[in-house]
């Protein structure tokens, strides 16, 4: 069975999923793999880490290469409680991005279908 979703429906469903990820981070003191995938996708991050002591998510983003060839990784940190706030700012609406989000939603049973059709 196919699910037909508009961009706003995908965004709304992802907000629900991000809130579930936040609760899981708080309960388990670690980031679920699917949340890591979402963060890496949205921020083109090189790494994602959960800082238990500060209850913060740290994201490493490549800011370019140094002349010596080493990457220049800048680390951004935000409290896990604020994770849903960054979502609206980092949401991407290109076809490939929406397909990624659809697969993520389907994997997490937010949308239970064998095929997701973007409209």
């Amino acid at each position: 069975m196919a699910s037909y979703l508009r961009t706003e429906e995908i965004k709304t469903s992802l907000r629900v999923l991000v809130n579930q990820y936040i609760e899981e981070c708080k309960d388990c003191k670690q980031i679920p793999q699917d949340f890591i995938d979402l963060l890496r996708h949205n921020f083109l991050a090189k790494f994602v880490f959960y800082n238990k002591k500060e209850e913060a998510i740290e994201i490493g983003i490549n800011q370019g290469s140094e002349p010596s060839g080493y990457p220049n990784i800048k680390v951004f940190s935000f409290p896990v409680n604020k994770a849903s706030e960054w979502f609206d700012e980092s949401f991407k609406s290109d076809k490939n991005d929406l397909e990624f989000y659809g697969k993520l939603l389907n994997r997490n049973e937010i949308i239970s279908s064998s095929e997701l059709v973007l409209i």
Side-chain angles (χ1 to χ4, degrees):
M1 184 170 123
S3 294
Y4 296 87
L5 296 176
R6 294 189 183 116
T7 301
E8 273 307 308
E9 293 171 314
I10 290 173
K11 193 172 188 177
T12 301
S13 297
L14 274 176
R15 279 188 195 122
V16 170
L17 188 57
V18 166
N19 286 329
Q20 288 176 1
Y21 290 152
I22 291 168
E23 289 305 313
E24 193 171 333
C25 282
K26 291 178 189 176
D27 294 343
C28 301
K29 304 294 184 204
Q30 63 182 14
I31 303 176
Q33 183 60 48
D34 285 344
F35 196 20
I36 292 171
D37 294 343
L38 179 61
L39 291 166
R40 289 186 74 178
H41 176 85
N42 279 17
F43 292 102
L44 303 174
K46 294 296 179 188
F47 73 85
V48 177
F49 175 75
Y50 181 70
N51 184 330
K52 295 175 190 175
K53 183 178 177 183
E54 296 180 17
E55 292 188 353
I57 296 173
E58 298 176 356
I59 300 170
I61 300 174
N62 189 356
Q63 298 291 310
S65 295
E66 293 291 320
S68 62
Y70 291 104
N72 181 14
I73 305 288
K74 183 167 182 174
V75 177
F76 296 90
S77 180
F78 55 91
V80 72
N81 293 341
K82 305 280 184 181
S84 58
E85 292 178 17
W86 63 261
F87 176 72
D88 285 332
E89 297 172 20
S90 69
F91 183 82
K92 300 175 184 179
S93 58
D94 292 338
K95 184 177 188 255
N96 290 336
D97 297 312
L98 294 174
E99 287 175 0
F100 171 80
Y101 297 147
K103 289 176 185 174
L104 191 64
L105 291 168
N106 202 10
R107 238 183 0 220
N108 287 281
E109 299 177 9
I110 298 292
I111 300 169
S112 54
S113 72
S114 58
E115 181 181 1
L116 178 68
V117 180
L118 307 171
I119 55 173

